[in-house]
Amino acid sequence: TYSGFEVDTYPAAEDKDCVSAVILKDDSVSTPEGVAIGDSRDKVVEAYGDGFKEENGSLVYEKDGMKLSFILQDDAVASIEYRSTVLDNQ
């Protein structure tokens, strides 16, 4: 856990860990496209497009074995999560 974000890992080999998730927790960190906690749903869609799935109040984008989820509360970003789908497929 770091200031503003958390990195989760899983053991992939005897001496190697892989990143399973990166969770942005406050507005001190943003995505490369400039979306941060507190931003509007409209800003997410403007930055990432309409190719998302709505799941339990979240906008979820999938690409290259990763899920990028924007958890919304009252149409504002409350949390942002990058998660690997590698473990989902095992």
Side-chain angles (χ1 to χ4, degrees), residues 16 23 39 43 45 52 56 61 64 67 77-78 89:
K16 180 180 172 187
I23 303 165
D39 286 338
K43 183 170 181 179
V45 175
F52 59 86
N56 303 317
Y61 295 86
D64 299 331
K67 280 187 180 181
V77 177
N89 298 323

Side-chain angles (χ1 to χ4, degrees), residues 8-20:
D8 296 336
T9 63
Y10 64 93
E14 192 171 306
D15 61 344
K16 180 180 172 187
D17 285 344
C18 287
V19 174
S20 60

